[in-house]
Amino acid sequence: MTEKLTQHQLSRRRVVGMAALQAAAALGLTRVGLQSAHAVEPDAVDTSPALVVGSGYGAAVAALRLGQAGIRTVVLEMGRLWNTAGPDGKVFCSTREPDSRAMWFKTRTEAPLATFLWLDVVNRDIGPYPGVLDRVRYADMSVFLGRGVGGGSLVNGGMAVTPLRSYFAEQFPTVDTDEMYGTYFPRARAMLGVNTIDPAWFESTEWYRFSRVSRAHAQKAGLRTTFVPSVYDFGYMQREAAGTATKSALAGEVIYGNNHGKRSLDKTYLAAALGTGNVTIHTMERARGIRREKDGTYVVTVDRVDGTGAVVATKEYGCTYLFLGAGSVGTSELLVRARAKGTLPALNAGVGAGWGPNGNVMLGRANHLWDTVGANQSTMPVLGIDDWANTANPVFAEIAPLPTGLEHWVSLYLALTKNPERASFTYDAASDSARLGWSAAQSAVSVSMAKQLFDRINSANGTIYRYDLFGSPSKVFADDFTYHPLGGCVLGRATDDYGRVKGYSKLYVTDGSLVPGSIGVNPFVTITALAERTMARVLAEDTAP
Ligand code: FAE
């Protein structure tokens, strides 16, 4: 029953949706819909046929496809809408001059790279505010997350990578790979606006010298590198370099948001969803509880939060179809809480389980003085060292920028290792939140794999690691955080093969919690494509009258 849209209709809807986002921002509204400027009253409608929790990749796909199918849908997002300029005339602050917009209710920024030459020069004291980047800390692992309309798309590095088909099949043995690689991955890439860097420009521009240097070092160790596509508009980036467009990726902007150039979800899926006229986004509303009524409808309890973090109201939303797209951390927490509190008692033991950090480890290498990486570095990575086919030690390492504006001779990497370790979320009644049982010993597995690869590169180039970047005196491998939380509600275990939660009808998961802890590449294209697959099936089979 999915309405078929031509590209033209889709772009027209996206334009209309973006206008609604602008109007809502200008008026300071927390609810955005085509009627938002006039008619969406704060407490007018508590029930809708469909409710989507979150507004990241999985949620945005759900919202668009529901809206296109003519199903009235409310999207609940705990963060704010990011399109109003602050006093400096910019929506987002830069990584070099972070302010309160940087982080979700913190008094100090918590950047992944904590120090430089062991000096505490990276992080800044800030006022607490519903900022765009969150760092959720568990005992031995912390998770970076995007907060706001667009979720992780607001803060991520834009790397839009399709996983190796054989590894996807290994991780999702029940999913038809022909259908994924023939239909859903291409659909996701097209909707996300994925593009690739012009190789000739890459070879010549100062902004990617850091990548070329790392490529040469990898090649010297007999390793291959591969270009990775992106959702950052490379045409725009070239204009930045030429001085004809305002700099964003070339001005150090990324983890606290990009003011230009990036095709985040508010400019793609979510704008198109709003453009259908059937979707309304409620911001600063955090879902807390889920229960099911006797008539089969779901009720979601939501805390409305103000700019200081105070809960200013609690309200309930009813719906027939409930889509959870709060991300691996958010969705897992909602479900383990509902199971523990007995409001969704039939959830199975797979809920909360199968979590992994995609084997993430960050590290830096110290280059020789003649091997300069350049003071000017684009924040958008475009190259990876691909040693995934090495069955003895599979690693895919993204060549990451370190855009300080000064020459520093550091080659930085985010290694994605094939760490088989998994952990579970459990409910902690005292804090009314989820705990993650990931241990330092489990991270050590990722470190050992990353170390094997980079020892090889160091040995081939006569270089060493950097010891000054991650806080404690000699920490080389940052193994205590992840950008890629995956799992907690794994496809085929906590859900059926299409994201329908086992034990409940009309309850769906569409986000990164479906991915079993590892996917071997940066995950958002996979999350988007799986959500497209779920929505195609659900709209065809579950929503017929
Ligand atoms: P996600 O995008 O996290 O969206 C979840 C949304 O739900 C968020 O907006 C939350 O605020 C909201 N939410 C959570 N709990 C609630 C609640 N209870 N009530 C209401 N709203 C809620 O989920 N991936 C790549 O593929 N390429 C990259 O280059 C890349 N770089 C990254 C860099 C950084 C710094 C970070 C943090 C992540 C990066 N990622 C990258 C990961 C990627 O952004 C992530 O896998 C996806 O965003 C996950 O998508 P989901 O739909 O699962």
Side-chain angles (χ1 to χ4, degrees):
M1 69 177 288
T2 307
E3 182 190 341
K4 294 257 185 305
L5 286 181
T6 62
Q7 268 315 110
H8 174 71
Q9 282 171 309
L10 206 55
S11 353
R12 194 170 49 78
R13 288 188 168 180
R14 209 158 44 213
V15 170
V16 173
M18 283 178 74
L21 284 160
Q22 291 298 350
L27 295 169
L29 300 176
T30 53
R31 297 178 182 211
V32 194
L34 280 196
Q35 321 87 319
S36 67
H38 329 278
V40 182
E41 296 297 332
D43 295 309
V45 184
D46 290 347
T47 59
S48 55
L51 201 60
V52 177
V53 181
S55 64
Y57 291 91
V61 173
L64 171 62
R65 300 309 175 195
L66 287 162
Q68 274 182 255
I71 298 172
R72 201 160 44 79
T73 301
V74 169
V75 175
L76 301 173
E77 168 54 51
M78 64 189 270
R80 50 164 287 201
L81 175 63
W82 286 97
N83 61 1
T84 321
D88 60 355
K90 292 180 178 170
V91 173
F92 297 108
C93 61
S94 85
T95 42
R96 291 179 202 145
E97 295 293 332
D99 59 31
S100 60
R101 288 170 290 183
M103 299 217 65
W104 182 255
F105 297 114
K106 307 264 185 211
T107 51
R108 190 163 170 79
T109 58
E110 297 182 13
L113 196 127
T115 48
F116 194 77
L117 296 173
W118 293 280
L119 298 172
D120 184 12
V121 290
V122 180
N123 287 310
R124 301 277 168 87
D125 289 336
I126 53 172
Y129 183 77
V132 72
L133 182 70
D134 200 357
R135 184 172 189 165
V136 177
R137 290 181 182 271
Y138 298 104
D140 284 316
M141 173 56 67
S142 63
V143 181
F144 281 99
L145 299 167
R147 297 277 182 231
V149 175
S153 76
L154 299 168
V155 297
N156 67 34
M159 295 175 73
V161 199
T162 303
L164 197 65
R165 190 171 172 138
S166 56
Y167 191 52
F168 180 88
E170 198 178 314
Q171 293 299 76
F172 294 102
T174 59
V175 175
D176 179 347
T177 48
D178 283 345
E179 206 182 34
M180 281 303 290
Y181 285 76
T183 303
Y184 298 115
F185 277 121
R187 184 175 297 173
R189 285 192 298 260
M191 279 300 301
L192 292 166
V194 174
N195 68 158
T196 47
I197 194 164
D198 171 2
W201 187 67
F202 171 83
E203 296 301 341
S204 61
T205 178
E206 60 176 326
W207 298 97
Y208 281 106
R209 181 176 171 77
F210 74 96
S211 302
R212 297 193 300 270
V213 166
S214 278
R215 177 180 62 186
H217 293 178
Q219 284 169 348
K220 213 163 168 194
L223 293 158
R224 68 181 278 269
T225 56
T226 180
F227 279 106
V228 287
S230 177
V231 291
Y232 197 90
D233 179 346
F234 286 114
Y236 187 87
M237 194 188 287
Q238 288 201 38
R239 292 198 294 283
E240 291 178 55
T244 55
T246 309
K247 286 190 172 61
S248 180
L250 305 192
E253 292 179 353
V254 60
I255 59 170
Y256 303 136
N258 279 93
N259 286 298
H260 308 278
K262 201 207 271 179
R263 294 162 181 157
S264 47
L265 290 166
D266 50 325
K267 303 189 174 62
T268 59
Y269 273 101
L270 292 170
L274 288 169
T276 66
N278 294 316
V279 175
T280 312
I281 303 175
H282 295 196
T283 63
M284 301 298 286
E285 299 207 359
R286 180 178 200 152
R288 179 162 40 86
I290 306 171
R291 65 174 194 272
R292 194 177 203 200
E293 300 291 20
K294 288 204 176 62
D295 65 0
T297 57
Y298 292 95
V299 176
V300 177
T301 311
V302 169
D303 289 332
R304 161 172 273 281
V305 174
D306 71 9
T308 70
V311 176
V312 290
T314 294
K315 63 175 297 181
E316 294 192 327
Y317 288 89
C319 65
T320 307
Y321 302 95
L322 178 56
F323 294 83
L324 300 180
S328 164
V329 164
T331 292
S332 301
E333 177 164 281
L334 281 167
L335 290 180
V336 295
R337 183 189 287 128
R339 185 180 55 198
K341 289 186 143 184
T343 60
L344 292 177
L347 293 175
N348 76 13
V351 166
W355 188 89
N358 209 18
N360 278 193
V361 181
M362 191 175 265
L363 64 126
R365 292 176 44 248
N367 291 319
H368 297 294
L369 284 182
W370 59 87
D371 248 345
T372 51
V373 289
N376 284 334
Q377 303 193 4
S378 166
T379 56
M380 297 294 142
V382 292
L383 212 55
I385 300 169
D386 188 358
D387 201 29
W388 200 261
N390 175 359
T391 47
N393 192 54
V395 180
F396 177 84
E398 107 189 23
I399 297 171
L402 181 50
T404 60
L406 298 168
E407 176 60 49
H408 48 56
W409 293 275
V410 179
S411 284
L412 192 71
Y413 306 88
L414 181 71
L416 280 51
T417 63
K418 192 178 174 181
N419 182 341
E421 294 289 324
R422 299 291 176 264
S424 293
F425 288 100
T426 49
Y427 177 66
D428 174 47
S431 59
D432 189 28
S433 62
R435 276 198 185 150
L436 178 63
W438 183 268
S439 70
Q442 291 179 296
S443 291
V445 177
S446 302
V447 168
S448 132
M449 299 179 83
K451 186 171 181 315
Q452 274 190 55
L453 180 82
F454 285 97
D455 278 359
R456 207 172 132 188
I457 295 178
N458 275 338
S459 135
N461 291 280
T463 49
I464 57 167
Y465 292 107
R466 289 284 295 230
Y467 294 83
D468 59 318
L469 305 176
F470 301 110
S472 63
S474 59
K475 196 168 175 63
V476 170
F477 299 99
D479 58 350
D480 53 352
F481 72 79
T482 182
Y483 285 171
H484 302 162
L486 296 173
C489 205
V490 171
L491 193 85
R493 295 183 222 160
T495 73
D496 77 351
D497 287 337
Y498 288 90
R500 300 171 173 113
V501 177
K502 286 183 180 168
Y504 292 92
S505 61
K506 299 178 184 172
L507 175 61
Y508 311 91
V509 171
T510 61
D511 57 28
S513 47
L514 294 172
V515 183
S518 159
I519 195 63
V521 291
N522 316 60
F524 74 62
V525 171
T526 303
I527 294 168
T528 307
L530 282 173
E532 287 283 16
R533 174 178 173 273
T534 288
M535 293 314 294
R537 175 61 64 119
V538 166
L539 289 168
E541 290 185 352
D542 298 11
T543 61

